């Protein structure tokens, strides 16, 4: 069944702002419809979040205004070319932005068919916050999406089905095999953990190394992260998960999506709305939160930049400061920055960050490189610098 562009056109008034659901389950089949409508109207605006896959068919320059709060991966080149504005906001602020200055008029989302109506699949993110505003919801039905999301079906009175587009969520290439430096970092991070902690880790190669370290150490954890990749399946298969995992996005291989689908159908949904996953008081409460995030750069005092280098955009702010701040507040918790001491022959510790601070030094407890951990807690500025010197030699 082809998507019905007439239905979408009927929902979009002149000058409307359209919210495009993000994540691996973003409605890619609707991108050409959105682009064609934007070119025809000339005055439409777009707001979206994190698009990890190629944005093929999404012609951002067709919109009068396009904005994202998470330009990483799929939107890097568009942001650098000026086709979309990267709004510097933490992910936890997205629902407030969408209820206020970036309030949309229409939501376009992919959903799986459910017994009593369409249901969200591989992510919830900020989509529930937009649905709660009462705006029309243009739905692309995808039966291949996992039934991984918590929450009720989409409200029938707001739903307008554009058609069916099977295909399932985007599956990025598996993370590269961890280097020796990453493996050492993973072991050092695992050495900071004790049974029963709540663990958040970043996706990608370094995240895979952290999971390998946790598995090798046999530490049992509660998985609670903004993004969950295949590493959570590894921990589950090793019997190291102590509770139902929590995330707002899934990003990984078909094996991850099948695992999450099975859990959701069994009444144990993995993905939840941002207001739950990134809520600071919940994260800072028991069990202790160990947040393991990475960095593009760390400055002399431990301030962190994750947005990019001087010459290239790498990503967005995302949930980095949300989890770091919560972990720093968590009794017996830790806010950990895990990063190789060098990247392409250059130190990742710099005198001055290339871009604005993503996460403040006071929300960083421990910095881990392949040379070991630098515990910064309780140290003054000079002592912090000396501690960091030891893990960034040279």
């Amino acid at each position: 069944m082809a998507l019905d562009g007439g239905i979408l056109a009927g929902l979009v008034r002149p000058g409307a702002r359209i919210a495009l659901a993000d994540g691996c389950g973003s409605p890619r089949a609707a991108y050409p419809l959105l682009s064609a409508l934007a070119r025809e109207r000339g005055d439409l605006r777009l707001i979206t979040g994190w698009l990890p896959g190629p944005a093929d068919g999404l012609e951002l320059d067709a919109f009068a205004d396009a904005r994202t709060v998470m330009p990483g991966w799929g939107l890097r080149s568009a942001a650098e070319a000026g086709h979309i504005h990267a709004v510097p906001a933490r992910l936890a602020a997205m629902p407030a932005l969408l209820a206020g200055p970036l309030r949309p008029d229409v939501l376009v989302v992919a959903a799986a068919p459910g017994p009593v109506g369409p249901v969200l699949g591989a992510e919830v993110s900020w989509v529930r916050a937009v649905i709660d505003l009462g705006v029309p919801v243009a739905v692309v039905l995808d039966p291949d999406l996992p039934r991984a999301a918590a929450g009720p079906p989409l409200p029938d009175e707001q739903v307008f089905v554009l058609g069916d587009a099977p295909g399932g969520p985007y599956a990025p290439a598996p993370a590269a095999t961890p280097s020796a430096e990453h493996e050492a970092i993973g072991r050092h991070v695992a050495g900071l953990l004790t049974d029963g902690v709540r663990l958040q880790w970043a996706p990608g190669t370094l995240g895979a190394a952290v999971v390998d370290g946790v598995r090798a150490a046999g530490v049992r954890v509660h998985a609670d992260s903004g993004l969950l990749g295949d590493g959570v399946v590894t921990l589950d298969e090793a019997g190291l998960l102590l509770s139902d995992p929590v995330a707002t996005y899934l990003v990984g291989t078909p094996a991850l999506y099948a695992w999450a689908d099975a859990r959701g159908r069994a009444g144990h949904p993995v993905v939840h709305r941002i207001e739950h996953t990134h809520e600071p008081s919940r994260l800072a409460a028991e069990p202790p939160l160990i947040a393991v995030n990475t960095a593009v750069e760390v400055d002399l005092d431990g301030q962190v930049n994750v947005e990019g280098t001087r010459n290239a955009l790498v990503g967005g702010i995302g949930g980095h400061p949300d989890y770091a701040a919560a972990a720093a507040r968590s009794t017996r918790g830790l806010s950990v920055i895990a990063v190789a001491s060098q990247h392409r022959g250059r130190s990742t510790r710099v005198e001055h960050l290339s871009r604005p601070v993503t996460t403040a030094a006071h929300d960083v407890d421990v910095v881990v490189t392949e040379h070991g951990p630098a515990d910064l807690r309780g140290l003054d500025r000079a002592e912090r610098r000396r501690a960091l010197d030891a893990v960034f030699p040279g």
Side-chain angles (χ1 to χ4, degrees):
M1 176 179 172
L3 300 187
D4 191 333
I7 293 177
L8 181 63
L11 297 175
V12 178
R13 62 171 177 77
R17 177 179 283 121
I18 300 168
L20 174 63
D22 60 349
C24 290
S26 180
R28 301 187 303 278
Y31 291 0
L33 287 184
L34 284 169
S35 301
L37 187 61
R39 288 209 180 276
E40 177 188 335
R41 298 283 185 88
D43 61 355
L44 300 183
R45 297 167 293 163
L46 185 77
I47 177 69
T48 191
W50 175 63
L51 297 182
D56 296 342
L58 185 61
E59 300 171 15
L60 293 166
D61 61 344
F63 292 88
D65 182 80
R67 295 179 184 269
T68 176
V69 297
M70 188 68 180
W73 301 12
L75 294 175
R76 284 178 191 168
S77 58
E80 290 180 330
H83 298 319
I84 189 165
H85 300 282
V87 177
R90 62 175 69 219
L91 199 57
M94 189 67 169
L97 284 171
L98 291 167
L102 297 180
R103 183 186 175 103
D105 303 291
V106 177
L107 169 66
V108 181
V109 66
V116 292
V119 294
L120 297 178
E123 54 276 315
V124 177
S125 65
W126 43 265
V127 166
R128 282 285 175 193
V130 175
I131 292 171
D132 290 349
L133 298 175
V135 304
V137 182
V139 175
V140 176
L141 289 177
D142 184 348
D144 297 330
L145 287 173
R147 275 62 163 183
L154 305 185
D156 183 66
E157 66 277 9
Q158 291 174 241
V159 167
F160 297 83
V161 175
L162 302 181
D164 297 338
Y170 169 72
T177 301
S179 65
E181 289 80 10
H182 287 146
E183 289 176 346
I185 291 169
R187 291 192 297 271
H188 291 312
V189 169
L192 300 172
L193 308 182
T194 57
D195 269 358
V197 298
R198 187 185 327 187
L199 179 64
Q200 178 255 331
W201 67 93
T205 305
L206 198 144
V210 169
V211 169
D212 287 345
V214 172
R215 180 180 57 180
V219 181
R220 297 173 299 164
V221 298
H222 304 267
D224 197 328
S225 194
L227 308 178
L228 276 182
D230 288 75
V232 72
V233 182
T234 299
L235 295 179
D236 190 22
E237 291 174 344
L240 297 178
L241 291 183
L242 292 174
S243 60
D244 292 335
V246 174
T248 200
Y249 297 100
L250 297 176
V251 54
T253 66
L256 169 69
Y257 301 132
W259 171 87
D261 181 73
R263 291 189 69 91
R265 291 177 187 272
H268 300 280
V270 175
V271 291
H272 305 259
R273 59 194 297 163
I274 282 174
E275 295 94 329
H276 176 74
T277 59
H278 289 63
E279 204 287 310
S281 296
R282 183 190 74 84
L283 290 172
E286 293 291 324
L289 173 64
I290 311 295
V292 183
N293 290 290
T294 189
V296 173
E297 299 171 329
V298 178
D299 77 0
L300 300 181
D301 292 300
Q303 298 184 117
V304 175
N305 158 32
V306 302
E307 292 186 69
T309 64
R310 196 172 307 279
N311 300 319
L313 179 69
V314 173
I317 293 170
H320 197 290
D322 298 322
Y323 279 92
R329 290 175 52 197
S330 177
T331 303
R332 299 186 308 282
L334 285 175
S335 171
V336 179
I337 300 300
V339 61
S341 65
Q342 291 197 356
H343 179 68
R344 296 179 179 175
R346 294 191 175 189
S347 177
T348 52
R349 190 182 183 209
V350 296
E351 186 171 0
H352 301 290
L353 298 179
S354 300
R355 299 199 178 218
V357 175
T358 304
T359 296
H362 56 250
D363 284 332
V364 176
D365 292 326
V366 179
V367 175
V368 177
T369 74
E370 69 273 21
H371 301 289
D375 191 339
L376 308 180
R377 293 172 294 172
L379 304 185
D380 68 18
R381 298 288 184 184
E383 291 168 332
R384 288 172 69 94
R385 289 190 173 201
R386 290 195 293 271
L388 287 169
D389 288 342
V391 298
F392 291 93

